[in-house]
Amino acid sequence: MMKHRAVPDDTTPSRAGDAMSNMRPRHNEDRLFVRDGRKSYRRSYSFNEFRIGMAVLLALACVLAWVAWKGAHPDPDLLSSDADLLIKGGTIAVEGSAPLGTSGSGQSNSSPLPSNLALPGWTVGNMSQFGWDNLYVKINGREDYYKSFGFERLYFVSILMDENQGTAVDIELYDLGSAANALGAYAGERSPGTRPDVTESGMGHLDRNALFLTRGAYYLRAIGSDESPEVLAELAHLRPLLENSLTGEPLPWGYALFVGSMGFDPGAVAYAPENAFSFGFANHVYSATLDDGDTEVFVVATRDGAGAEALAEQFHEGFMSYGTEAGTSGGIEWVKDRYVGTISGAGANGPWTIGVHAAPDLESAVEAYGSIRQAVGSLDPAIADLVPEAGTGEGESEAADAPTEEGGY
Amino acid sequence: MNPNKDGSPWYTRTFRITSVRIFTQAFFFSLFMFLLWVTWFSRLQGYPVSLFLEVDPLVGIATALSTHTIYRWLWRGLWVLIPTLLLGRVFCNWMCPYGTLHQFFGWLFNIRNNRNNIDKNRYRGIYQLKYIILTVLLVLAAFGSLQIGLLDPICLLVRTMAITVAPASDLVALNLGEFIADRGGDGRLVSFLSSAPGAPVQRIFTGAWFVGILIIGLVGMNLIIPRFFCRVLCPLGALLGVLSRFSLWRIDRDVTKCTDCDLCLKHCEGASDPQAALRKSECFVCFNCIDDCPEDALSFRLAPVPVKDRIIGKIREGTASLFGKPLRSKIPETEIVAPDMPRRRWVFATITGVLAYPFLRLSAAVNARGFNEKAIRPPGTVEESEFLERCIKCDQCINVCPTNVLQPSTLAEGGFEGLWTPVMNFSVGFCQLNCTLCSEVCPTGAIQKISLEQKIGVAEHEEAGPIKLGTAFFNRGRCLPWSMETPCVVCEEVCPVTPKAIGTYDEEFTRWDGKIVTLNKPYMRPELCIGCGICEHECPVLDDAAVYVTAIGETRSDNRSLLLERRSGNT
Amino acid sequence: MPQDHKRIERRAFLKKAGTAGALALGAGWASLAPPNWLFSLRDPDGERGKPRKEVIRLPENGFAVEPSATLPVLGVARGQNLDAMVRASIDAIGGISRFVSSGDIVVIKPNVAFERSAALGATSNPVVLASLIRIVREAGAREIRVADNPIESPESCFQRSGIRQAAVEAGARIYLPTPADFDTLNVPGATWIEEWPFFWRPFIGADKVIGVAPVKDHNLCRASMTTKNWYGLLGGRRNQFHQDIHGIISDLALMMKPTFVLLDGSRVLFRSGPTGGSLADVREGHTIVASTDSLAADAFGWEELLGRGDEELPDYFAQVAARGLGNPDWRSVTIKDRQVG
């Protein structure tokens, strides 16, 4: 340890010897409050040095500006609150999440159902609506079915009998976005043995105490609580009322093809907006079941011939994933199912990808293929232009899935 | 203003290069402190808060050695590397905030006289130590054990600031705010002093005392050896020293002017012997020697040539001359290019590094077996062995963590290799569901930059699911409803996932005193638990919580998974 | 020389002896003088050394205004336009001028317990809060303070819930809790929280208190609405409250008698509460309720917004009612129910 305060620096530099000596300095050096600026012993200063110094200061200013600029431009995702709205695949633009206090798609839509639903002796209950996100509240367990058909909104109302509140007709009106979806959902739920009545603007049938209808993009189920005459009378009242009040539209082209050109029963036609035959790539597929109850012919519209060829190749690969080659006939390669022995195959004609699924033998498969091949030849190719990206994975249901509006806060 | 004695205008003296250097040091130190100050939720915005860590070329080079990649912003190391190749170790005395700190305190508490100063600034053999440290650390890095963070000056300073200075500033702001508020003022006026404004409780950090003692010890060493850390220990300085042998510019001594007075040593920061043969590897390019030379014999020059061989005559006899001018200095050497490390010592250091790797890695803490159950890493952290290749212990993640859950690991959780790396302590805080700040500030990708979607497993990450940090377990022996007939289930209330990962068995129960209570006895649904630890944090059984999270089941490691899960092709 | 030498020694001796004597005297005084004497540090029985606990109290009648025999207790506004609904609901129970006078300092207590987007329904709707702040400001309030002690980190909770932005833009001041902001509150007659740390800072000088609570399912007390909302004014070991949550909520009703409350039924977190986390847990309620009786508002919410009229009310309704602090039978109080916009 030092015993004394060290002797402060000499302030008169000249010779090394002087500077090193322990002579008393003229001033105590005060490093904290220097009046004359920092000392330097050098003799000369250069203008060049000054210029370099200024250049350095300029560089520092640039660093500062850069940091400030970076600070003012944060990563918008870092503190965004959109992500936590997406849990469970929920969309943002549904009931309960759109910016409140503003008008917008997030709010209740006016119901397309007419008001005079009830016969005398019946009362219309409260109307409720369900969006993509709370659909399960109403139909727990089945919501995925409707969502696969491009579900947009469910309007629900019960019509209650005044005398006996236990007797009711529940009306579920699904807005599925397009007529094809509505018909597809309808076809999927129609029990075997029932026959749809086809009009120009939709289909429908009465099955005991349940009424099923499609009108344009709407698919409606009205289910009575029992098969009493009162319920059947109410259903009979509802059917013409709803058929007239819901806006219809002509059946989609798939029906024109299968029913009009090929003479299928309308009830044999089905439509899968996605995942047809459990193939992830197979979207917007119209199919019709032959009289044997197993063989299906199907058609998908694509943008052009090349697209149709490519999709047909995908179908072929798909069939091959659980089958073996069954030879070439009628211009396409057929695939025999490894497990059940049925024959499937797909080809293209113009912008149409066509095919046969689950035929009992090669002969009938080739025949069915021939008929559909001929039938699509008469279709108007302009239909294909209306089909958005058919069969390529960009389906309508995905579009409904995507968030379409920002969260409020 | 009067012109200088040599007739040059006054500003060439006032704004001479050493003045600019001091200003630059103050600028970078302030910038460093500012960036630490904004490392907090409410201030972060887009600031490059880990900038100094990113421009640290030792971080870039060592992680490139350990991971064979250069993560995200680490290419910014070039901003220091290129000036070093041109000018020498300018980083050390112009930019390095830790160097500035040492220089400032060394200057403030300097009580030496000239003679002592000159003696203290002579080169010593001990200054080789940093090259040995550097070699050991780089060899370890090449083996996949990144330990540069122990001594890298930027990592060390960020860590020290984060876990000692920052909470101390919180304490000051808190008490000052209370003082003002008690006298009727607005206590929030001083919240700018706080590093964590809005933190509901004072932040605490494991082992802050040790880090605090370390910084006081290292800064205090300046009283004994000026710039002790920079000259003796700094591995970054050593790296830049090795590189500066290629630098184009250096301090050059004019032997025809130099009188061997040694005054240039008076303020020499690097102890680089400017009075004799300049040690390029030690010179911090502080330019103090130029200021201190009364003979104007020193200058900073582009590629000066060593003059020893061109001297004619004999120095001892006083007849020597250079280019016709008589030689005044008795020392003809002007340059030593490479660090003063004999080759055998380089070999020794390499062997030390090679041996150190198994010594460290054979400790149980960091391996697939024998790991500590409380080594719970932040979300986005890569698998443990990869983590050890990346984490530089800078503790920026710990600094930014809004709930204080991230804590520097002690030897218990991470072993020596994991010392000061981030682990979660749920008795202190919990991992907030919607927060990914630690992944944003991590400079090396030890915590990979993740999006919120990725963390909570939505949108395109829905299939991968949320990132799990571990799994919570119930200790039924300590749980109030299970063992004490007392209603509780705070854990279920705060569980942030939906559906909740904590369910309850509800039963009506007649207590010992005859009262009928409804007990909701909680149980865990391990598929849903993300290990965020809020249940442990909020559990009223404070000291040894009845629900607690351990590292098992963490997403980042296949070895530490708990439930049988389908593994997709690319994991 | 010897004399000089001696004199110097004597002077030095006196100096040293004087210093030593003064130190001894000072030490003796401080340790032996009776406790009430100046500079005495004496503490014979250890009582003086104990920390003094300062206990604060809220006003005797809380922040409630004079009850009115004619005006409705519940003001219900249903519709789409939240701003108009907030106004209509307050107008229904007498208008803001009944509650807030010019120059008042008003504390508004939203529920900001969790770091969630407002859309997830775990926190008060910022749009509703902003409307309320504007209405209170129009009534001439001198200062409007928005305060809550969230469960997750306050800064992020206020940020992500949108409460910070909404409140600041509407002209209120945010009070985030810091450790210095809590004092021990005395609640006379309370079962559990007779003395408990209370988020006191925003209440210094406050004249009126308004609660704005979302309608939420709750895992333990089954429903968290305006009465449970006061939970966010307490500090300390809140995680013990769950051992008798109904008793605690009834204590909360005793602790805070607000000027009025707003039940924010714009979004209803009908399950997975009180945290929620998915839009699937939320539905729109299209309803705002203003009330001078929190319990009646909560009962209304339980039945009309949570839609659990067929279930029994949670225990705390009976406990609060037993203390005479509210009426759980909302159908028996005067209601003004309006459709707005």
Side-chain angles (χ1 to χ4, degrees), chain A residues 6-7 9 16 20 31-32 38-39 41-45 47 49-50 57 60 70-71 74 84 87-88, chain B residues 6 13 16-17 19 23 45-46 107-108 110-111 113-115 261 266 291 293-296 434 458 499:
Chain A
V7 176
D9 286 1
M20 297 268 196
R31 285 192 304 275
L32 292 182
R38 288 178 310 111
K39 285 189 302 288
Y41 302 148
R42 59 200 282 193
R43 291 176 182 171
S44 62
Y45 300 92
F47 192 71
E49 183 181 321
F50 171 76
L57 295 187
L60 296 188
K70 287 289 279 184
D84 52 351
I87 289 185
K88 303 229 140 168
Chain B
D6 65 341
R13 177 174 178 278
R16 65 189 188 272
I17 200 73
S19 305
F23 183 86
Q45 297 182 63
W107 169 78
L108 193 63
N110 183 3
I111 52 165
N113 61 13
N114 278 349
R115 186 195 297 277
C261 72
K266 206 175 126 198
D291 250 12
C293 181
E295 306 292 345
D296 282 358
N434 285 329
V458 294

Side-chain angles (χ1 to χ4, degrees), chain B residues 214-230:
Chain B
L214 208 60
I215 184 89
I216 289 172
L218 288 173
V219 171
M221 275 305 287
N222 285 299
L223 307 191
I224 299 162
I225 299 177
R227 302 291 293 261
F228 167 79
F229 180 87
C230 313

